[in-house]
Structures are given as C-alpha cells and as structure tokens.
Amino acid sequence: MNTTEIFLIAMLLIFTVPYLVWRIFKTDYYAPLVIIQIIGGILLGPGVLGAAFPEYHKFVFAPDVVKALNGIAWWGVMLFVMIAGIELDLKKVWQYRRESATTASFALGMPLVFGCAAAVLLLGYQGWKGAKGLDWQFTLGVGMACAVTALPVLVLLLEKLDILRQPMGQRILRYASLDDVAIWGVLALILLDWERVGRQLSFILAFGVLTFVFRRIMARLQENDRWYAALIWLVICSFGSDWAGLHFMVGAFLAGVVMDAEWFDRATLDTLFKHVLLILMPVFFLSTGLRTKWELGGYSVFFVGGLLLLASVGGKLVGVHIAGRMLKWKSGEASIIGWLLQTKGLIEIIFANILLDKQIITNETFTALLLMAATSTMLTIPVVHPKLNRSAHAGLVQQASS
C-alpha cells in the first residue's frame, strides 16, 4: 500500500473505534465521546496496540503517516486553544473579582501544592524527570498539571448537566476562567529559557504592540472578514511564540485571549468549536496516544497516575471547601463546585504535551498525567449529577415549606 492508503486506514481507526465504543456501550453518562477518544488514543498507541500487534502498529503508524497526522493535530489544537482563549470573559471575572479571586486562588493553589509534593517524591526515582528539565521545572510543571481545570470540557459538561446558563454554572465558569489565565502564565514561566530570553522579550513586546493594532483593525471589519483576520492572527502569534521558545500553543492561547467574543456571532463560534472537536481533535488525541510509553512498567505508571489523581482531586476539593467557608456558601455548594472543577480533559493533555515536547517530563510521566486527566474527568458527572439532584430537591422542599 502507498502512504495515502495507509494514512486513510489510520484515519478510519481514529474516527471509527471511539465512536462505536461510545455509541454501542452508551458511555455518555460517565465518559463523553471526547474522553473515549482520549482513551482510544492511548489504546491505539505503542503501549497497548503496539505491544499486542507490533508489526501491524508499525505498518499503520509509519513515520510518514505520523508526520501527516501530526500536521492535522497541530492545526486542530491551535484552533481549539484559540477558541478557549476567546471564550474567557475577563470582564465578568473583574465584576465579581473578590469572590472569583478567592475561589480561583484556593481551587488552583491547593492542588498545585499537593501536585508539587507528589512531584518531589518522583524526583527521588529515575525515569520521571525529562532529560532537559530542571528540578523546579519538573516540580512546578507536574504540580500545575494537577491543578488544571479544562475550560472547554467544563463548558460541555455544564451544558450536559443543564446548568451552563444558570447562576451556578456562570460562577464556575468565572473561577475556571481565572485559573485558565494563571495556568498559561505559569507555563510561560516554566518554559522561560535564559538562552532565548532576548527572543522571548522581543516576542512579548511585539505581541503587545501588534495586539493594539490588531484590535483596532478587528473592530472595523465585518464579521466574515474577522474570521480570516483571526486565523492569520493565530498563525502569526503561534509562530512568534514558538520562535521565542514558548511553544506555539502558548501563542495560540494568547491570540484568542485578546479577541472579544462579541466580535463573532455566538452560534457560529459554538458551531466552530463543535466542528473542531468533531473533525480535528480526534486526530490530536491519536497523536497524543502515540506518545504514551510504559517502559518503566505498567504498574509503576498506574501507581504514579493514582498518586497524581489523589493529589489533583484531593487538593481541588480541599481548596474549594476552604473558599466556601470563607465566602459562606450554602451547604453542598463547595462539593458540587469542587467536583466540577476537576475536569482536566484537553487543556491538561495540551499542557502535558508541551512539557513532553520541551523534555521537562518523560513519556512515562506523560502517560501517568494522561491517565490522571482521563480518570478525573470521567469521575465528574457520576459524582456531580446526584449531588445536583439532591440540591434541587432540597431547594424545592424549602420553597414548599416557606
């Protein structure tokens, strides 16, 4: 077979296997399609399919095919991260700044501390820290991976639970939005390369100047033209960021953050988001799965994944409960909010991909982070759904008694 035919076989696997599992086994309650695609990427990778059928795996995922898949994956994730940046409503965060800052600080800070503690334990063993990673970069990177809340996946889950437009859903989005900004800021700090500091400063200055010009231009354009301008802006920012050593996804996020959601029709933006998830992101999940490795032994990777899951979930719940007491929330709110902020999904995987690209973590640590991200996201709906039902029932009983 030629490369094109093998590429199409790979694409057939990417789109068929996760969809059939999701549809036949009706996993939507505990594992939305996006999570099945992430797990599918792991299963199709070298650690599972490659170990069971090495010759077939080598044939289908040949170097030329992987290069083609990576190109699609890069473009897809750039679009996804840009949309995530556009979705951030920093005006609302500022309006409720005290509540948002308090909750976001504890929701991010406590799992960060727990995750850093887990990373310090891992530093005592060989095979977890990457070849080019310093101890502080590894510690902070793993800690922040435990603290991440994936805003786009959170939006999907809130919509599924039918609370996206309700006050509770809007509050959770504000907290997650503030954490999202902090996550990318910490990532920029981790990636700071003193050998390239001149380039990085140049990029930041150029980005500031060009953002001013870009926003003036966008405000004057018709919406159809804004979409083309947005894509050009995305490529420029991603190129500049990667050239400076900050990784192209940092630039993609910055490109989206400085754009106002009001510039675009909401329905069109939502449709683009869904189409990117449908058409491009499954390829990213597969390319992510191809990077998973179990060379230190499957049990070690699962143990570390469990340790990171405990740090992530425990830290997030402790942090949100502290914020809830300080802000005097109603009974049960802290638990619901804490579990909804567990959604790691795509942003954590993107974050871990960048750490792996920069050789701050190894493939084994990346695999453990991937397992942690998938598990924490899968726990969200089964835990939150009954809590929301009890909360709604208690509210109705209270209204009836009054």
Side-chain angles (χ1 to χ4, degrees), residues 13-324:
L13 285 172
I14 291 168
F15 284 97
T16 304
V17 175
Y19 173 76
L20 289 178
V21 171
W22 173 71
R23 179 55 71 194
I24 292 170
F25 294 100
K26 303 184 187 305
T27 66
D28 218 26
Y29 180 70
Y30 56 90
L33 179 58
V34 63
I35 298 301
I36 298 298
Q37 289 169 334
I38 292 168
I39 296 170
I42 297 172
L43 296 178
L44 291 172
V48 181
L49 181 66
F53 306 101
E55 292 301 319
Y56 286 105
H57 190 272
K58 188 177 178 181
F59 169 72
V60 175
F61 299 109
D64 287 344
V65 173
V66 171
K67 285 179 184 177
L69 292 173
N70 283 341
I72 297 172
W74 293 340
W75 182 240
V77 79
M78 282 167 60
L79 288 170
F80 183 88
V81 172
M82 181 191 75
I83 295 168
I86 294 173
E87 290 284 352
L88 287 182
D89 191 350
L90 299 180
K91 293 175 185 174
K92 284 221 171 156
V93 172
W94 178 253
Q95 185 180 350
Y96 298 96
R97 53 190 175 277
R98 180 180 172 273
E99 180 203 3
S100 298
T102 301
T103 307
S105 297
F106 283 103
L108 187 75
M110 292 307 296
L112 174 61
V113 171
F114 283 34
C116 286
V120 170
L121 287 176
L122 294 179
L123 283 173
Y125 300 90
Q126 293 291 326
W128 302 104
K129 186 180 75 169
K132 295 184 179 178
L134 302 176
D135 285 358
W136 73 269
Q137 289 176 311
F138 176 81
T139 302
L140 188 57
V142 171
M144 187 53 76
C146 290
V148 164
T149 296
L151 188 63
V153 173
L154 177 60
V155 170
L156 289 175
L157 296 186
L158 291 175
E159 197 170 30
K160 182 176 178 58
L161 292 165
D162 202 26
I163 61 171
L164 180 60
R165 308 299 175 193
Q166 295 180 20
M168 170 72 81
Q170 292 301 301
R171 281 171 57 193
I172 294 168
L173 284 182
R174 289 199 300 273
Y175 309 148
S177 297
L178 206 56
D179 282 348
D180 235 23
V181 175
I183 286 161
W184 291 97
V186 170
L187 179 62
L189 175 65
I190 293 170
L191 298 181
L192 192 63
D193 183 351
W194 292 106
E195 293 180 3
R196 292 189 176 188
V197 72
R199 283 190 177 192
Q200 291 170 347
L201 287 173
S202 299
F203 167 73
I204 292 167
L205 290 172
F207 177 76
V209 173
L210 289 173
T211 294
F212 176 77
V213 176
F214 172 74
R215 287 183 59 83
R216 295 284 295 267
I217 293 171
M218 286 290 277
R220 296 179 181 180
L221 292 176
Q222 298 293 323
E223 186 180 353
N224 287 342
D225 293 322
R226 282 175 181 166
W227 284 110
Y228 287 101
L231 294 176
I232 294 168
W233 174 244
L234 168 63
V235 175
I236 291 171
C237 291
S238 299
F239 174 82
S241 178
D242 207 69
W243 170 82
L246 291 174
H247 203 281
F248 67 86
M249 280 191 253
V250 175
F253 180 75
L254 291 174
V257 165
V258 298
M259 286 191 262
D260 295 340
E262 293 80 16
W263 287 345
F264 308 99
D265 176 66
R266 168 55 63 181
T268 305
L269 195 61
D270 289 345
T271 301
L272 176 62
F273 175 69
K274 290 175 182 176
H275 285 170
V276 170
L277 272 176
L278 172 68
I279 298 168
L280 297 174
M281 290 307 287
V283 182
F284 172 73
F285 301 140
L286 186 278
S287 67
T288 297
L290 291 176
R291 308 175 81 173
T292 57
K293 287 190 179 178
W294 317 78
E295 289 174 359
L296 294 181
Y299 291 113
S300 297
V301 171
F302 279 105
F303 174 79
V304 172
L307 175 67
L308 297 176
L309 180 66
L310 184 64
S312 173
V313 173
K316 191 76 75 175
L317 290 175
V318 168
V320 174
H321 274 84
I322 292 172

